[in-house]
Amino acid sequence: LAKTTQPISMDSYEGQEVNITCSHNNIATNDYITWYQQFPSQGPRFIIQGYKTKVTNEVASLFIPADRKSSTLSLPRVSLSDTAVYYCLVGDSFSNDYKLSFGAGTTVTVRA
Amino acid sequence: GAGVSQSPSNKVTEKGKDVELRCDPISGHTALYWYRQSLGQGLEFLIYFQGNSAPDKSGLPSDRFSAERTGGSVSTLTIQRTQQEDSAVYLCASSLGGEGIGNTIYFGEGSWLTVV
């Protein structure tokens, strides 16, 4: 079971890039890395998922080094509306890792 | 439907009463999850359904909690004799489940339960 470690909180300002690094030292071969975003009073929302190297979509980029023991979510040019909790999850489609992988997440606060 | 649907969105109940929370997963999703989230806390796993397999109930906090999934689709989470510590948002999620894919979980907006 791949445990994840990520910072409790991060502060930023509008227009800056925010990078959140998640450690997952015992990631397994079949595991994918997925990031979710949660706003107050809402359910978590899927942001991005990757297996290795770099993945980019309209919202964020995900950087995964060759050893896959960590990953970095990059949010370009954040705005106030990006203030949320960000969760890093590691697991595969066979296991029920997801029942245990949600920690406290990283609270990102964007200021004007 | 287009997304995971939960009802009711808000429920206030008196201590000792029973409540039922409903989840309608995304069509075609074989895996269904229930989580609980207390104010300012991370998500706590409750129960997991995968197809016709026996559910993983290892996260249910007490025997007052139960869940069922009828016809492999809609699920109901039941809390009997509610206590104030049961106050939380109950999140349902679903995923495709299956071999060789990153198992993206899609969440509903949650059912906010307040026990008074």
Side-chain angles (χ1 to χ4, degrees):
Chain A
L1 189 64
K3 180 180 177 180
T4 60
T5 303
Q6 52 184 123
I8 296 297
S9 64
M10 297 182 71
D11 289 346
S12 184
Y13 291 91
E14 284 189 293
Q16 291 188 333
E17 179 181 83
V18 172
N19 296 305
I20 309 170
T21 296
C22 179
S23 297
H24 27 81
N25 290 319
N26 58 341
I27 188 169
T29 303
N30 289 334
D31 287 344
Y32 284 75
I33 301 158
T34 310
W35 286 81
Y36 287 83
Q37 175 191 56
Q38 185 177 29
F39 298 113
S41 304
Q42 295 187 21
R45 181 176 73 101
F46 171 85
I47 301 177
I48 197 166
Q49 183 180 76
Y51 184 80
K52 62 180 179 181
T53 64
K54 177 184 175 183
V55 180
T56 297
N57 62 21
E58 65 278 6
V59 176
S61 294
L62 179 59
F63 299 91
I64 306 169
D67 65 6
R68 305 202 323 126
K69 293 183 183 299
S70 67
S71 59
T72 298
L73 174 72
S74 181
L75 306 172
R77 300 179 297 282
V78 294
S79 64
L80 296 176
S81 62
D82 292 316
T83 294
V85 179
Y86 293 82
Y87 295 95
C88 166
L89 273 73
V90 174
D92 69 16
S93 61
F94 295 105
S95 77
N96 49 16
D97 287 357
Y98 289 102
K99 70 175 183 176
L100 296 175
S101 297
F102 281 87
T106 299
T107 299
V108 172
T109 303
V110 181
R111 307 180 192 281
Chain B
V4 178
S5 178
Q6 292 188 245
S7 62
S9 55
N10 285 284
K11 175 73 175 179
V12 180
T13 190
E14 292 181 351
K15 178 181 174 181
K17 295 287 182 66
D18 297 351
V19 295
E20 286 189 351
L21 308 176
R22 176 189 167 103
C23 174
D24 198 344
I26 294 173
S27 178
H29 281 193
T30 61
L32 187 146
Y33 313 73
W34 282 98
Y35 291 86
R36 178 170 70 174
Q37 188 174 33
S38 301
L39 190 63
Q41 302 298 311
L43 275 71
E44 174 190 4
F45 166 79
L46 297 178
I47 189 168
Y48 165 72
F49 295 89
Q50 172 57 58
N52 295 320
S53 302
D56 180 347
K57 305 179 181 180
S58 60
L60 295 178
S62 77
D63 59 7
R64 296 187 295 106
F65 289 74
S66 63
E68 63 177 18
R69 188 178 185 191
T70 55
S73 181
V74 172
S75 176
T76 302
L77 177 69
T78 301
I79 309 172
Q80 296 178 313
R81 304 180 303 282
T82 52
Q83 304 294 314
Q84 288 185 329
E85 59 264 29
D86 299 334
S87 296
V89 58
Y90 290 81
L91 290 159
C92 178
S94 70
S95 66
L96 276 173
E99 182 172 344
I101 59 172
N103 199 13
T104 302
I105 298 177
Y106 296 90
F107 286 84
E109 292 304 310
S111 290
W112 294 78
L113 176 66
T114 303
V115 181
V116 296

